[in-house]
Amino acid sequence: MGEWPKGYARHVFDRVDSTLAEAARMAPTLAGPAWIMSTEQTAARGRRGRPWSTPRGNFAGTLIMPMPGDPAQAALRSFVASLALRDALVTCTGQAARFALKWPNDVLCDGGKLAGILLESVGPHLVIGIGVNLLSAPAPEAVEPGAVLPVSLEGAVAPEPFFDALAVAYDRHETQMRTYGFAPIRTEWLRHAARLGEVVTARTMRDETVGTFEDVDAAGNLILATAKGRVAIAAADVYF
């Protein structure tokens, strides 16, 4: 899986409230980027404050790093993290065909939700929280109606080897992003995008847009072809 990437600190805990919260506590003392993993989380959360179950055997990790440019550039790290997640899963399982990427920040396995990513800012730092159902998944009734159902790898991959593979993969894509910009990341992401060319629904707290998933633009927006023309969506939950 490669050696641990140079320049990244590595912290492994047995139990924390959440790796995002631990990253925020550690932020004032950090001299550079750091990866944090915990065997168990007791108060994890996902997007929009939704609870995220992390029993032992699943993966809970956070990367905290100096803010990489302006907020728009920082937001594009969700694509970097998505590619790194997929690469780590392929490395650990050898089963590339099973994994796809769902805009804006989920990884699917055999069509079900396997992993999620959450980006936040903590002062001058960006934190990227990652949860992966390596052992078990929440019950179907725990997710909102219409959402992609959660799945797991049922213990086929252990958390610490996955952690190492993820850090190596992230470093590779982050280096590519810093060297060449978003264009090659976008191209690679689209190669693995779920439901590209199909009709999807993008839903926000205020409205809903139905259209054919055509593209992701240079700013990371979802591009849908609708009855009223092409629409660029900056943030939404996507339903199949």
Side-chain angles (χ1 to χ4, degrees), residues 136-173:
S136 60
E141 56 267 23
V143 302
E144 60 187 289
V148 175
L149 293 179
V151 297
S152 81
L153 292 182
E154 299 179 345
V157 177
E160 285 214 43
F162 179 79
F163 185 36
D164 294 342
L166 176 61
V168 170
Y170 187 90
D171 179 52
R172 181 171 62 253
H173 289 294

PDB file of all heavy atoms in Angstrom, residues 136-173:
ATOM      1  N   SER A 136     -20.155  -2.799   9.124  1.00  0.00           N
ATOM      2  CA  SER A 136     -21.612  -2.829   9.217  1.00  0.00           C
ATOM      3  C   SER A 136     -22.189  -1.511   8.717  1.00  0.00           C
ATOM      4  O   SER A 136     -21.504  -0.494   8.679  1.00  0.00           O
ATOM      5  CB  SER A 136     -22.051  -3.078  10.662  1.00  0.00           C
ATOM      6  OG  SER A 136     -21.568  -2.052  11.517  1.00  0.00           O
ATOM      7  N   ALA A 137     -23.467  -1.551   8.361  1.00  0.00           N
ATOM      8  CA  ALA A 137     -24.159  -0.369   7.847  1.00  0.00           C
ATOM      9  C   ALA A 137     -25.394  -0.092   8.689  1.00  0.00           C
ATOM     10  O   ALA A 137     -25.971  -1.008   9.282  1.00  0.00           O
ATOM     11  CB  ALA A 137     -24.562  -0.593   6.389  1.00  0.00           C
ATOM     12  N   PRO A 138     -25.828   1.175   8.750  1.00  0.00           N
ATOM     13  CA  PRO A 138     -27.079   1.482   9.449  1.00  0.00           C
ATOM     14  C   PRO A 138     -28.254   0.743   8.818  1.00  0.00           C
ATOM     15  O   PRO A 138     -28.232   0.381   7.638  1.00  0.00           O
ATOM     16  CB  PRO A 138     -27.219   3.004   9.248  1.00  0.00           C
ATOM     17  CG  PRO A 138     -25.836   3.488   8.959  1.00  0.00           C
ATOM     18  CD  PRO A 138     -25.171   2.374   8.206  1.00  0.00           C
ATOM     19  N   ALA A 139     -29.283   0.527   9.597  1.00  0.00           N
ATOM     20  CA  ALA A 139     -30.489  -0.129   9.089  1.00  0.00           C
ATOM     21  C   ALA A 139     -31.172   0.766   8.054  1.00  0.00           C
ATOM     22  O   ALA A 139     -31.098   1.994   8.149  1.00  0.00           O
ATOM     23  CB  ALA A 139     -31.450  -0.420  10.234  1.00  0.00           C
ATOM     24  N   PRO A 140     -31.836   0.200   7.061  1.00  0.00           N
ATOM     25  CA  PRO A 140     -32.503   1.006   6.026  1.00  0.00           C
ATOM     26  C   PRO A 140     -33.456   2.049   6.591  1.00  0.00           C
ATOM     27  O   PRO A 140     -33.570   3.154   6.056  1.00  0.00           O
ATOM     28  CB  PRO A 140     -33.243  -0.043   5.195  1.00  0.00           C
ATOM     29  CG  PRO A 140     -32.455  -1.294   5.372  1.00  0.00           C
ATOM     30  CD  PRO A 140     -31.955  -1.245   6.791  1.00  0.00           C
ATOM     31  N   GLU A 141     -34.146   1.700   7.681  1.00  0.00           N
ATOM     32  CA  GLU A 141     -35.108   2.656   8.250  1.00  0.00           C
ATOM     33  C   GLU A 141     -34.439   3.856   8.908  1.00  0.00           C
ATOM     34  O   GLU A 141     -35.105   4.834   9.255  1.00  0.00           O
ATOM     35  CB  GLU A 141     -36.024   1.963   9.259  1.00  0.00           C
ATOM     36  CG  GLU A 141     -35.312   1.244  10.380  1.00  0.00           C
ATOM     37  CD  GLU A 141     -35.052  -0.225  10.073  1.00  0.00           C
ATOM     38  OE1 GLU A 141     -35.019  -0.595   8.885  1.00  0.00           O
ATOM     39  OE2 GLU A 141     -34.885  -0.987  11.048  1.00  0.00           O
ATOM     40  N   ALA A 142     -33.111   3.811   9.048  1.00  0.00           N
ATOM     41  CA  ALA A 142     -32.391   4.936   9.664  1.00  0.00           C
ATOM     42  C   ALA A 142     -32.104   6.050   8.673  1.00  0.00           C
ATOM     43  O   ALA A 142     -31.681   7.138   9.082  1.00  0.00           O
ATOM     44  CB  ALA A 142     -31.085   4.443  10.278  1.00  0.00           C
ATOM     45  N   VAL A 143     -32.311   5.814   7.388  1.00  0.00           N
ATOM     46  CA  VAL A 143     -32.038   6.844   6.388  1.00  0.00           C
ATOM     47  C   VAL A 143     -33.347   7.452   5.907  1.00  0.00           C
ATOM     48  O   VAL A 143     -34.412   6.839   6.007  1.00  0.00           O
ATOM     49  CB  VAL A 143     -31.242   6.280   5.194  1.00  0.00           C
ATOM     50  CG1 VAL A 143     -29.941   5.671   5.679  1.00  0.00           C
ATOM     51  CG2 VAL A 143     -32.049   5.253   4.430  1.00  0.00           C
ATOM     52  N   GLU A 144     -33.260   8.657   5.361  1.00  0.00           N
ATOM     53  CA  GLU A 144     -34.460   9.351   4.920  1.00  0.00           C
ATOM     54  C   GLU A 144     -35.051   8.688   3.677  1.00  0.00           C
ATOM     55  O   GLU A 144     -34.328   8.070   2.881  1.00  0.00           O
ATOM     56  CB  GLU A 144     -34.151  10.818   4.654  1.00  0.00           C
ATOM     57  CG  GLU A 144     -33.099  11.055   3.589  1.00  0.00           C
ATOM     58  CD  GLU A 144     -32.714  12.514   3.501  1.00  0.00           C
ATOM     59  OE1 GLU A 144     -33.552  13.294   3.029  1.00  0.00           O
ATOM     60  OE2 GLU A 144     -31.596  12.853   3.900  1.00  0.00           O
ATOM     61  N   PRO A 145     -36.353   8.805   3.486  1.00  0.00           N
ATOM     62  CA  PRO A 145     -37.000   8.176   2.335  1.00  0.00           C
ATOM     63  C   PRO A 145     -36.392   8.651   1.017  1.00  0.00           C
ATOM     64  O   PRO A 145     -36.141   9.843   0.830  1.00  0.00           O
ATOM     65  CB  PRO A 145     -38.462   8.632   2.463  1.00  0.00           C
ATOM     66  CG  PRO A 145     -38.642   8.914   3.927  1.00  0.00           C
ATOM     67  CD  PRO A 145     -37.327   9.468   4.386  1.00  0.00           C
ATOM     68  N   GLY A 146     -36.145   7.715   0.117  1.00  0.00           N
ATOM     69  CA  GLY A 146     -35.606   8.054  -1.188  1.00  0.00           C
ATOM     70  C   GLY A 146     -34.102   8.096  -1.267  1.00  0.00           C
ATOM     71  O   GLY A 146     -33.533   8.140  -2.361  1.00  0.00           O
ATOM     72  N   ALA A 147     -33.434   8.101  -0.116  1.00  0.00           N
ATOM     73  CA  ALA A 147     -31.976   8.150  -0.115  1.00  0.00           C
ATOM     74  C   ALA A 147     -31.398   6.797  -0.517  1.00  0.00           C
ATOM     75  O   ALA A 147     -32.051   5.758  -0.386  1.00  0.00           O
ATOM     76  CB  ALA A 147     -31.462   8.554   1.261  1.00  0.00           C
ATOM     77  N   VAL A 148     -30.159   6.829  -1.002  1.00  0.00           N
ATOM     78  CA  VAL A 148     -29.469   5.586  -1.342  1.00  0.00           C
ATOM     79  C   VAL A 148     -29.274   4.773  -0.071  1.00  0.00           C
ATOM     80  O   VAL A 148     -28.819   5.297   0.954  1.00  0.00           O
ATOM     81  CB  VAL A 148     -28.106   5.886  -1.995  1.00  0.00           C
ATOM     82  CG1 VAL A 148     -27.326   4.599  -2.238  1.00  0.00           C
ATOM     83  CG2 VAL A 148     -28.305   6.636  -3.305  1.00  0.00           C
ATOM     84  N   LEU A 149     -29.607   3.515  -0.110  1.00  0.00           N
ATOM     85  CA  LEU A 149     -29.524   2.684   1.086  1.00  0.00           C
ATOM     86  C   LEU A 149     -28.067   2.386   1.446  1.00  0.00           C
ATOM     87  O   LEU A 149     -27.231   2.175   0.567  1.00  0.00           O
ATOM     88  CB  LEU A 149     -30.279   1.373   0.873  1.00  0.00           C
ATOM     89  CG  LEU A 149     -31.798   1.495   0.722  1.00  0.00           C
ATOM     90  CD1 LEU A 149     -32.417   0.122   0.505  1.00  0.00           C
ATOM     91  CD2 LEU A 149     -32.417   2.171   1.943  1.00  0.00           C
ATOM     92  N   PRO A 150     -27.745   2.376   2.739  1.00  0.00           N
ATOM     93  CA  PRO A 150     -26.368   2.103   3.157  1.00  0.00           C
ATOM     94  C   PRO A 150     -26.005   0.635   3.014  1.00  0.00           C
ATOM     95  O   PRO A 150     -26.848  -0.249   3.182  1.00  0.00           O
ATOM     96  CB  PRO A 150     -26.359   2.533   4.626  1.00  0.00           C
ATOM     97  CG  PRO A 150     -27.780   2.389   5.080  1.00  0.00           C
ATOM     98  CD  PRO A 150     -28.626   2.694   3.883  1.00  0.00           C
ATOM     99  N   VAL A 151     -24.734   0.404   2.709  1.00  0.00           N
ATOM    100  CA  VAL A 151     -24.198  -0.958   2.604  1.00  0.00           C
ATOM    101  C   VAL A 151     -22.854  -0.992   3.311  1.00  0.00           C
ATOM    102  O   VAL A 151     -22.303   0.049   3.691  1.00  0.00           O
ATOM    103  CB  VAL A 151     -24.019  -1.394   1.135  1.00  0.00           C
ATOM    104  CG1 VAL A 151     -25.355  -1.446   0.416  1.00  0.00           C
ATOM    105  CG2 VAL A 151     -23.041  -0.474   0.409  1.00  0.00           C
ATOM    106  N   SER A 152     -22.311  -2.189   3.498  1.00  0.00           N
ATOM    107  CA  SER A 152     -20.993  -2.318   4.117  1.00  0.00           C
ATOM    108  C   SER A 152     -20.168  -3.346   3.367  1.00  0.00           C
ATOM    109  O   SER A 152     -20.683  -4.101   2.531  1.00  0.00           O
ATOM    110  CB  SER A 152     -21.111  -2.737   5.584  1.00  0.00           C
ATOM    111  OG  SER A 152     -21.308  -4.135   5.698  1.00  0.00           O
ATOM    112  N   LEU A 153     -18.875  -3.379   3.693  1.00  0.00           N
ATOM    113  CA  LEU A 153     -17.988  -4.405   3.142  1.00  0.00           C
ATOM    114  C   LEU A 153     -17.961  -5.657   4.005  1.00  0.00           C
ATOM    115  O   LEU A 153     -17.209  -6.598   3.723  1.00  0.00           O
ATOM    116  CB  LEU A 153     -16.568  -3.849   2.990  1.00  0.00           C
ATOM    117  CG  LEU A 153     -16.384  -2.764   1.936  1.00  0.00           C
ATOM    118  CD1 LEU A 153     -14.924  -2.345   1.864  1.00  0.00           C
ATOM    119  CD2 LEU A 153     -16.862  -3.225   0.572  1.00  0.00           C
ATOM    120  N   GLU A 154     -18.740  -5.661   5.080  1.00  0.00           N
ATOM    121  CA  GLU A 154     -18.937  -6.832   5.939  1.00  0.00           C
ATOM    122  C   GLU A 154     -17.619  -7.400   6.469  1.00  0.00           C
ATOM    123  O   GLU A 154     -17.437  -8.618   6.562  1.00  0.00           O
ATOM    124  CB  GLU A 154     -19.728  -7.910   5.185  1.00  0.00           C
ATOM    125  CG  GLU A 154     -21.112  -7.421   4.767  1.00  0.00           C
ATOM    126  CD  GLU A 154     -21.901  -8.465   4.001  1.00  0.00           C
ATOM    127  OE1 GLU A 154     -21.289  -9.454   3.559  1.00  0.00           O
ATOM    128  OE2 GLU A 154     -23.118  -8.276   3.849  1.00  0.00           O
ATOM    129  N   GLY A 155     -16.704  -6.494   6.808  1.00  0.00           N
ATOM    130  CA  GLY A 155     -15.468  -6.916   7.444  1.00  0.00           C
ATOM    131  C   GLY A 155     -14.375  -7.368   6.502  1.00  0.00           C
ATOM    132  O   GLY A 155     -13.341  -7.873   6.954  1.00  0.00           O
ATOM    133  N   ALA A 156     -14.557  -7.189   5.194  1.00  0.00           N
ATOM    134  CA  ALA A 156     -13.541  -7.619   4.229  1.00  0.00           C
ATOM    135  C   ALA A 156     -12.271  -6.775   4.318  1.00  0.00           C
ATOM    136  O   ALA A 156     -11.204  -7.208   3.860  1.00  0.00           O
ATOM    137  CB  ALA A 156     -14.107  -7.557   2.815  1.00  0.00           C
ATOM    138  N   VAL A 157     -12.376  -5.571   4.900  1.00  0.00           N
ATOM    139  CA  VAL A 157     -11.226  -4.665   5.034  1.00  0.00           C
ATOM    140  C   VAL A 157     -11.181  -4.171   6.475  1.00  0.00           C
ATOM    141  O   VAL A 157     -12.205  -3.785   7.040  1.00  0.00           O
ATOM    142  CB  VAL A 157     -11.351  -3.471   4.074  1.00  0.00           C
ATOM    143  CG1 VAL A 157     -10.191  -2.498   4.267  1.00  0.00           C
ATOM    144  CG2 VAL A 157     -11.410  -3.948   2.620  1.00  0.00           C
ATOM    145  N   ALA A 158      -9.985  -4.174   7.068  1.00  0.00           N
ATOM    146  CA  ALA A 158      -9.805  -3.691   8.442  1.00  0.00           C
ATOM    147  C   ALA A 158      -9.493  -2.199   8.442  1.00  0.00           C
ATOM    148  O   ALA A 158      -8.899  -1.685   7.494  1.00  0.00           O
ATOM    149  CB  ALA A 158      -8.676  -4.466   9.128  1.00  0.00           C
ATOM    150  N   PRO A 159      -9.874  -1.482   9.524  1.00  0.00           N
ATOM    151  CA  PRO A 159      -9.713  -0.034   9.535  1.00  0.00           C
ATOM    152  C   PRO A 159      -8.282   0.479   9.385  1.00  0.00           C
ATOM    153  O   PRO A 159      -8.048   1.408   8.608  1.00  0.00           O
ATOM    154  CB  PRO A 159     -10.315   0.370  10.893  1.00  0.00           C
ATOM    155  CG  PRO A 159     -11.321  -0.686  11.183  1.00  0.00           C
ATOM    156  CD  PRO A 159     -10.708  -1.946  10.657  1.00  0.00           C
ATOM    157  N   GLU A 160      -7.316  -0.083  10.102  1.00  0.00           N
ATOM    158  CA  GLU A 160      -5.970   0.505  10.044  1.00  0.00           C
ATOM    159  C   GLU A 160      -5.286   0.320   8.695  1.00  0.00           C
ATOM    160  O   GLU A 160      -4.687   1.267   8.173  1.00  0.00           O
ATOM    161  CB  GLU A 160      -5.113  -0.004  11.201  1.00  0.00           C
ATOM    162  CG  GLU A 160      -5.481   0.647  12.529  1.00  0.00           C
ATOM    163  CD  GLU A 160      -4.287   0.856  13.452  1.00  0.00           C
ATOM    164  OE1 GLU A 160      -3.213   1.284  12.982  1.00  0.00           O
ATOM    165  OE2 GLU A 160      -4.450   0.578  14.645  1.00  0.00           O
ATOM    166  N   PRO A 161      -5.328  -0.849   8.067  1.00  0.00           N
ATOM    167  CA  PRO A 161      -4.773  -0.936   6.713  1.00  0.00           C
ATOM    168  C   PRO A 161      -5.482   0.005   5.740  1.00  0.00           C
ATOM    169  O   PRO A 161      -4.842   0.588   4.853  1.00  0.00           O
ATOM    170  CB  PRO A 161      -4.984  -2.403   6.329  1.00  0.00           C
ATOM    171  CG  PRO A 161      -5.058  -3.122   7.630  1.00  0.00           C
ATOM    172  CD  PRO A 161      -5.727  -2.175   8.576  1.00  0.00           C
ATOM    173  N   PHE A 162      -6.783   0.155   5.915  1.00  0.00           N
ATOM    174  CA  PHE A 162      -7.508   1.088   5.061  1.00  0.00           C
ATOM    175  C   PHE A 162      -7.036   2.516   5.302  1.00  0.00           C
ATOM    176  O   PHE A 162      -6.886   3.303   4.345  1.00  0.00           O
ATOM    177  CB  PHE A 162      -9.014   0.980   5.309  1.00  0.00           C
ATOM    178  CG  PHE A 162      -9.810   1.936   4.479  1.00  0.00           C
ATOM    179  CD1 PHE A 162     -10.079   1.655   3.153  1.00  0.00           C
ATOM    180  CD2 PHE A 162     -10.254   3.132   5.015  1.00  0.00           C
ATOM    181  CE1 PHE A 162     -10.784   2.561   2.375  1.00  0.00           C
ATOM    182  CE2 PHE A 162     -10.957   4.042   4.243  1.00  0.00           C
ATOM    183  CZ  PHE A 162     -11.231   3.751   2.918  1.00  0.00           C
ATOM    184  N   PHE A 163      -6.823   2.875   6.549  1.00  0.00           N
ATOM    185  CA  PHE A 163      -6.334   4.207   6.920  1.00  0.00           C
ATOM    186  C   PHE A 163      -5.034   4.518   6.183  1.00  0.00           C
ATOM    187  O   PHE A 163      -4.877   5.593   5.578  1.00  0.00           O
ATOM    188  CB  PHE A 163      -6.122   4.235   8.439  1.00  0.00           C
ATOM    189  CG  PHE A 163      -5.719   5.566   9.013  1.00  0.00           C
ATOM    190  CD1 PHE A 163      -6.210   6.759   8.523  1.00  0.00           C
ATOM    191  CD2 PHE A 163      -4.850   5.601  10.109  1.00  0.00           C
ATOM    192  CE1 PHE A 163      -5.855   7.972   9.100  1.00  0.00           C
ATOM    193  CE2 PHE A 163      -4.492   6.800  10.686  1.00  0.00           C
ATOM    194  CZ  PHE A 163      -4.989   7.992  10.178  1.00  0.00           C
ATOM    195  N   ASP A 164      -4.111   3.586   6.192  1.00  0.00           N
ATOM    196  CA  ASP A 164      -2.826   3.795   5.528  1.00  0.00           C
ATOM    197  C   ASP A 164      -3.001   3.936   4.020  1.00  0.00           C
ATOM    198  O   ASP A 164      -2.389   4.816   3.384  1.00  0.00           O
ATOM    199  CB  ASP A 164      -1.876   2.636   5.844  1.00  0.00           C
ATOM    200  CG  ASP A 164      -1.498   2.575   7.320  1.00  0.00           C
ATOM    201  OD1 ASP A 164      -1.678   3.585   8.021  1.00  0.00           O
ATOM    202  OD2 ASP A 164      -1.035   1.512   7.768  1.00  0.00           O
ATOM    203  N   ALA A 165      -3.836   3.090   3.432  1.00  0.00           N
ATOM    204  CA  ALA A 165      -4.075   3.169   1.990  1.00  0.00           C
ATOM    205  C   ALA A 165      -4.737   4.491   1.613  1.00  0.00           C
ATOM    206  O   ALA A 165      -4.420   5.091   0.571  1.00  0.00           O
ATOM    207  CB  ALA A 165      -4.938   1.998   1.537  1.00  0.00           C
ATOM    208  N   LEU A 166      -5.641   4.969   2.452  1.00  0.00           N
ATOM    209  CA  LEU A 166      -6.330   6.228   2.194  1.00  0.00           C
ATOM    210  C   LEU A 166      -5.361   7.407   2.234  1.00  0.00           C
ATOM    211  O   LEU A 166      -5.405   8.295   1.378  1.00  0.00           O
ATOM    212  CB  LEU A 166      -7.448   6.422   3.217  1.00  0.00           C
ATOM    213  CG  LEU A 166      -8.220   7.740   3.150  1.00  0.00           C
ATOM    214  CD1 LEU A 166      -8.918   7.903   1.811  1.00  0.00           C
ATOM    215  CD2 LEU A 166      -9.235   7.816   4.295  1.00  0.00           C
ATOM    216  N   ALA A 167      -4.482   7.431   3.234  1.00  0.00           N
ATOM    217  CA  ALA A 167      -3.529   8.532   3.350  1.00  0.00           C
ATOM    218  C   ALA A 167      -2.600   8.585   2.140  1.00  0.00           C
ATOM    219  O   ALA A 167      -2.303   9.668   1.614  1.00  0.00           O
ATOM    220  CB  ALA A 167      -2.721   8.386   4.635  1.00  0.00           C
ATOM    221  N   VAL A 168      -2.153   7.432   1.692  1.00  0.00           N
ATOM    222  CA  VAL A 168      -1.279   7.374   0.515  1.00  0.00           C
ATOM    223  C   VAL A 168      -2.026   7.875  -0.723  1.00  0.00           C
ATOM    224  O   VAL A 168      -1.492   8.680  -1.506  1.00  0.00           O
ATOM    225  CB  VAL A 168      -0.773   5.933   0.296  1.00  0.00           C
ATOM    226  CG1 VAL A 168      -0.076   5.798  -1.057  1.00  0.00           C
ATOM    227  CG2 VAL A 168       0.174   5.533   1.416  1.00  0.00           C
ATOM    228  N   ALA A 169      -3.252   7.420  -0.902  1.00  0.00           N
ATOM    229  CA  ALA A 169      -4.035   7.814  -2.074  1.00  0.00           C
ATOM    230  C   ALA A 169      -4.365   9.302  -2.037  1.00  0.00           C
ATOM    231  O   ALA A 169      -4.310   9.989  -3.069  1.00  0.00           O
ATOM    232  CB  ALA A 169      -5.314   6.984  -2.152  1.00  0.00           C
ATOM    233  N   TYR A 170      -4.701   9.814  -0.857  1.00  0.00           N
ATOM    234  CA  TYR A 170      -5.021  11.234  -0.769  1.00  0.00           C
ATOM    235  C   TYR A 170      -3.798  12.082  -1.120  1.00  0.00           C
ATOM    236  O   TYR A 170      -3.911  13.074  -1.865  1.00  0.00           O
ATOM    237  CB  TYR A 170      -5.547  11.629   0.618  1.00  0.00           C
ATOM    238  CG  TYR A 170      -6.012  13.067   0.603  1.00  0.00           C
ATOM    239  CD1 TYR A 170      -7.324  13.373   0.285  1.00  0.00           C
ATOM    240  CD2 TYR A 170      -5.127  14.120   0.814  1.00  0.00           C
ATOM    241  CE1 TYR A 170      -7.742  14.692   0.194  1.00  0.00           C
ATOM    242  CE2 TYR A 170      -5.533  15.433   0.711  1.00  0.00           C
ATOM    243  CZ  TYR A 170      -6.842  15.723   0.406  1.00  0.00           C
ATOM    244  OH  TYR A 170      -7.252  17.020   0.284  1.00  0.00           O
ATOM    245  N   ASP A 171      -2.658  11.724  -0.616  1.00  0.00           N
ATOM    246  CA  ASP A 171      -1.442  12.482  -0.910  1.00  0.00           C
ATOM    247  C   ASP A 171      -1.188  12.525  -2.415  1.00  0.00           C
ATOM    248  O   ASP A 171      -0.808  13.574  -2.959  1.00  0.00           O
ATOM    249  CB  ASP A 171      -0.257  11.853  -0.182  1.00  0.00           C
ATOM    250  CG  ASP A 171       1.047  12.580  -0.459  1.00  0.00           C
ATOM    251  OD1 ASP A 171       1.095  13.816  -0.297  1.00  0.00           O
ATOM    252  OD2 ASP A 171       2.017  11.911  -0.854  1.00  0.00           O
ATOM    253  N   ARG A 172      -1.405  11.418  -3.094  1.00  0.00           N
ATOM    254  CA  ARG A 172      -1.184  11.375  -4.542  1.00  0.00           C
ATOM    255  C   ARG A 172      -2.116  12.334  -5.276  1.00  0.00           C
ATOM    256  O   ARG A 172      -1.681  13.114  -6.133  1.00  0.00           O
ATOM    257  CB  ARG A 172      -1.390   9.944  -5.046  1.00  0.00           C
ATOM    258  CG  ARG A 172      -1.156   9.774  -6.533  1.00  0.00           C
ATOM    259  CD  ARG A 172      -1.150   8.319  -6.941  1.00  0.00           C
ATOM    260  NE  ARG A 172      -2.422   7.643  -6.683  1.00  0.00           N
ATOM    261  CZ  ARG A 172      -2.630   6.756  -5.731  1.00  0.00           C
ATOM    262  NH1 ARG A 172      -1.666   6.428  -4.887  1.00  0.00           N
ATOM    263  NH2 ARG A 172      -3.812   6.181  -5.586  1.00  0.00           N
ATOM    264  N   HIS A 173      -3.403  12.328  -4.934  1.00  0.00           N
ATOM    265  CA  HIS A 173      -4.355  13.212  -5.611  1.00  0.00           C
ATOM    266  C   HIS A 173      -4.199  14.666  -5.180  1.00  0.00           C
ATOM    267  O   HIS A 173      -4.392  15.579  -5.999  1.00  0.00           O
ATOM    268  CB  HIS A 173      -5.778  12.717  -5.363  1.00  0.00           C
ATOM    269  CG  HIS A 173      -6.106  11.453  -6.082  1.00  0.00           C
ATOM    270  ND1 HIS A 173      -6.167  11.365  -7.458  1.00  0.00           N
ATOM    271  CD2 HIS A 173      -6.367  10.196  -5.626  1.00  0.00           C
ATOM    272  CE1 HIS A 173      -6.465  10.131  -7.812  1.00  0.00           C
ATOM    273  NE2 HIS A 173      -6.593   9.404  -6.728  1.00  0.00           N
TER     274      HIS A 173
END
